[in-house]
Amino acid sequence: DQQVKQNSPSLSVQEGRISILNCDYTNSMFDYFLWYKKYPAEGPTFLISISSIKDKNEDGRFTVFLNKSAKHLSLHIVPSQPGDSAVYFCAASAGGGADGLTFGKGTHLIIQP
Amino acid sequence: NAGVTQTPKFQVLKTGQSMTLQCAQDMNHNSMYWYRQDPGMGLRLIYYSASEGTTDKGEVPNGYNVSRLNKREFSLRLESAAPSQTSVYFCASSGVRGGHEQFFGPGTRLTVL
């Protein structure tokens, strides 16, 4: 059973508007969450993260929101730019458990000009 | 700094052949990981090494072995390749045990015929 779920395989957003990518998780032991961006034929690159003790983390155009009671997090990109077109992966970790990250299946974000 | 490097970039094997995927990092990180990514799937953890001299199984370890050669290098071996092991393999490293940012290599695309 998938512990990290990204239910939207793709998302199309107009350039300059806000992109909102969603992620749900089921494992209550997860205490750290990350977003990765991936271009074709490249490895994932780290974008932004959030600890379970926070509900928001901001870095430039990127903001991650965490709702622990709903086991839900979202990534907001404002304003969206053409270079943001990529696959975005949500990942989670249980710090006290085994090392490594548990990934969602990814959302393909397409920024339309 | 090169970050995380992987060799080879591409490989085609016949069923039953063996091969070793190489990974090296120059960031003095303690932890290293091997993931595989299949079409439409997120990354899944195969094996990890929390520190030099230790290795542990991840979510999908069957059919693989690993060696943490030294702090820099972590190799993944397929002893008898099967078509189900056709995938893109990513190596990653991190400086902090569990839950924190991992840096990924560019990946090895493996096809088993």
Side-chain angles (χ1 to χ4, degrees):
Chain A
D1 190 30
Q2 267 211 299
Q3 298 185 67
V4 177
K5 300 176 184 178
Q6 294 178 256
N7 292 321
S8 298
S10 66
L11 175 67
S12 184
V13 174
Q14 207 164 11
E15 182 179 355
R17 308 293 285 264
I18 183 171
S19 295
I20 300 176
L21 293 87
N22 293 306
C23 177
D24 297 294
Y25 62 96
T26 58
N27 188 341
S28 299
M29 298 300 293
F30 288 143
D31 60 1
Y32 205 87
F33 304 90
L34 307 91
W35 285 94
Y36 280 84
K37 178 179 180 180
K38 186 181 181 304
Y39 293 118
E42 294 184 9
T45 55
F46 171 75
L47 199 55
I48 193 169
S49 63
I50 188 166
S51 165
S52 60
I53 63 173
K54 296 186 176 182
D55 55 19
K56 178 182 173 181
N57 188 28
E58 195 170 352
D59 184 1
R61 296 187 297 115
F62 303 93
T63 303
V64 57
F65 296 91
L66 175 62
N67 182 334
K68 279 185 65 178
S69 61
K71 292 189 175 70
H72 176 83
L73 61 155
S74 60
L75 173 68
H76 293 210
I77 306 174
V78 183
S80 300
Q81 299 175 352
D84 296 331
S85 294
V87 176
Y88 289 78
F89 290 100
C90 173
S93 175
D99 283 346
L101 299 173
T102 301
F103 284 83
K105 291 185 177 182
T107 296
H108 186 194
L109 176 64
I110 301 161
I111 305 301
Q112 305 277 9
Chain B
N1 287 351
V4 179
T5 57
Q6 293 183 237
T7 55
K9 289 191 188 309
F10 302 95
Q11 184 71 48
V12 179
L13 292 177
K14 294 181 180 178
T15 297
Q17 287 185 316
S18 62
M19 79 161 295
T20 300
L21 281 66
Q22 307 285 356
C23 174
Q25 53 92 8
D26 61 3
M27 296 172 283
N28 201 34
H29 283 167
N30 290 323
S31 302
M32 297 185 73
Y33 312 84
W34 278 104
Y35 294 88
R36 61 178 286 175
Q37 186 191 13
D38 300 306
M41 300 288 289
L43 283 74
R44 291 183 293 169
L45 184 65
I46 305 171
Y47 269 94
Y48 67 97
S49 171
S51 60
E52 187 178 354
T54 69
T55 60
D56 286 285
K57 295 178 181 179
E59 180 186 354
V60 289
N62 291 347
Y64 305 95
N65 286 300
V66 291
S67 295
R68 183 75 184 265
L69 304 169
N70 47 56
K71 191 171 186 179
R72 290 187 63 249
E73 299 172 288
F74 189 38
S75 63
L76 178 73
R77 182 159 178 86
L78 288 71
E79 289 292 350
S80 178
S84 61
Q85 294 178 304
T86 293
S87 190
V88 181
Y89 291 84
F90 291 102
C91 177
S93 70
S94 72
V96 179
R97 181 185 173 90
H100 290 72
E101 179 185 350
Q102 295 184 11
F103 295 82
F104 284 81
T108 294
R109 185 174 293 275
L110 175 66
T111 301
V112 183
L113 302 176

